Amino acid sequence: MSAPHSLSAWIEGVGLIAPGMPDWAAGAAVLTGRAPFQNAPSVLPAPLLLPPAERRRASRVVRVALASGLAALEHAGIEATTVPAIFSASTADGHNCHALCETLASDDHRVSPTRFHNSLHNTPAGYWSIATGAMCASQSLCAYDGSFSAGLLEALVQAITSQTPTLLVAYDAEYPEPLFAVRPIPDAAGIGLVLSPVQTPRSLARIAIALTDTPPDPLAEPTLDTLRTAIPALRGLPLLGLLAAGGPGCVALEYLAPLSLSVSLDPC
């Protein structure tokens, strides 16, 4: 039985980077059928806000997290230094994990300090603070394929309890072989959402969520739904599709089985 909606806030800004959808404007057109989906590798902007040394070390997972989060804040017209942030991903840096495994499987087991600190799940949050100068609190979450919903739930809780706009950054990036064989994430992707506890002139829609036992909703377009299931961060695409369509509605997003996250939107 579905529970009544109990958490609500307002969406102020959106960021999107995904295969065939380099930004939110392109993604909105694809998700509403105004433009055809043409699968292409994700375009990850260079992390120009980082100092040169950190820029060279920034992995694909760091780059997609920074870019999607910054795009959402720019859309909302909010400075990064003023908002707490929730970083949610099903994985960490797959290429770095592969390199660490190669080192540990070799005769020389010495792991470089850079490799080690880039292996931590909160590495994107650390690069975020370096790039933006943000001193607000951040959290780094992981809930496997339910990571988008876990991050959305936490971001709404934070926005409501702290009574301040909160940024959600949900992201993932690919693994190389042989890890790809058991975790076949094909590319990097990220969704950024700025959530406000109060309505503002820039608010896009009111969002309300609750846990439910309703199965997750697929996307109507089969190729897009394949993308949704292939990259865990893109489990949020049905929500973005609803937002892009501009009308009220409700979707169920994948969470921790047997639960889903019921999300309803009312446009402003």
Side-chain angles (χ1 to χ4, degrees):
M1 178 180 297
S2 299
H5 290 127
S6 56
L7 291 176
S8 66
W10 280 263
I11 298 175
E12 301 289 298
V14 185
L16 173 65
I17 294 176
M21 294 178 282
D23 54 33
W24 169 232
V30 169
L31 291 168
T32 54
R34 291 182 286 111
F37 175 64
Q38 297 179 336
N39 198 5
S42 292
V43 179
L44 306 183
L48 298 179
L49 292 182
L50 287 171
E54 282 73 20
R55 195 182 310 158
R56 288 192 299 272
R57 299 186 185 111
S59 66
R60 286 174 56 78
V61 74
V62 167
R63 290 169 63 189
V64 73
L66 290 182
S68 51
L70 289 170
L73 288 172
E74 182 180 4
H75 190 200
I78 296 177
E79 293 292 330
T81 54
T82 65
V83 294
I86 308 298
F87 294 87
S88 188
S90 75
T91 62
D93 182 348
H95 291 276
N96 191 64
C97 180
H98 173 79
L100 288 172
C101 290
E102 282 190 322
T103 297
L104 295 175
S106 70
D107 293 332
D108 184 358
H109 295 172
R110 291 174 295 179
V111 172
S112 77
T114 299
R115 286 288 183 202
F116 174 75
H117 85 72
N118 279 333
S119 72
L120 304 179
H121 193 68
N122 64 351
T123 294
Y127 277 95
W128 176 266
S129 65
I130 295 170
T132 65
M135 300 294 287
C136 296
S138 69
Q139 295 187 53
S140 297
L141 306 180
C142 177
Y144 198 58
D145 286 344
S147 292
F148 178 85
S149 291
L152 180 60
L153 178 60
E154 181 63 23
L156 259 75
V157 169
Q158 291 296 323
I160 293 166
T161 58
S162 65
Q163 284 297 290
T164 188
T166 300
L167 172 66
L168 166 65
V169 186
Y171 56 94
D172 279 296
E174 73 283 352
Y175 281 118
E177 291 287 7
L179 297 172
F180 181 83
V182 294
R183 188 61 168 157
I185 299 175
D187 204 345
I191 294 175
L193 291 174
V194 179
L195 303 170
S196 172
V198 297
Q199 186 175 1
T200 76
R202 300 187 72 129
S203 295
L204 304 174
R206 179 180 179 270
I207 180 173
I209 66 171
L211 296 177
T212 178
D213 57 7
T214 302
D217 288 313
L219 292 166
E221 170 59 47
T223 54
L224 283 175
D225 198 56
T226 297
L227 189 65
R228 176 188 70 88
T229 58
I231 304 177
L234 296 184
R235 298 300 204 278
L237 283 181
L239 163 58
L240 296 193
L242 199 60
L243 184 63
C250 183
V251 292
L253 304 181
E254 186 167 347
Y255 187 43
L256 302 176
L259 296 175
S260 299
L261 196 67
S262 173
V263 181
S264 66
L265 289 185
D266 290 302
C268 295

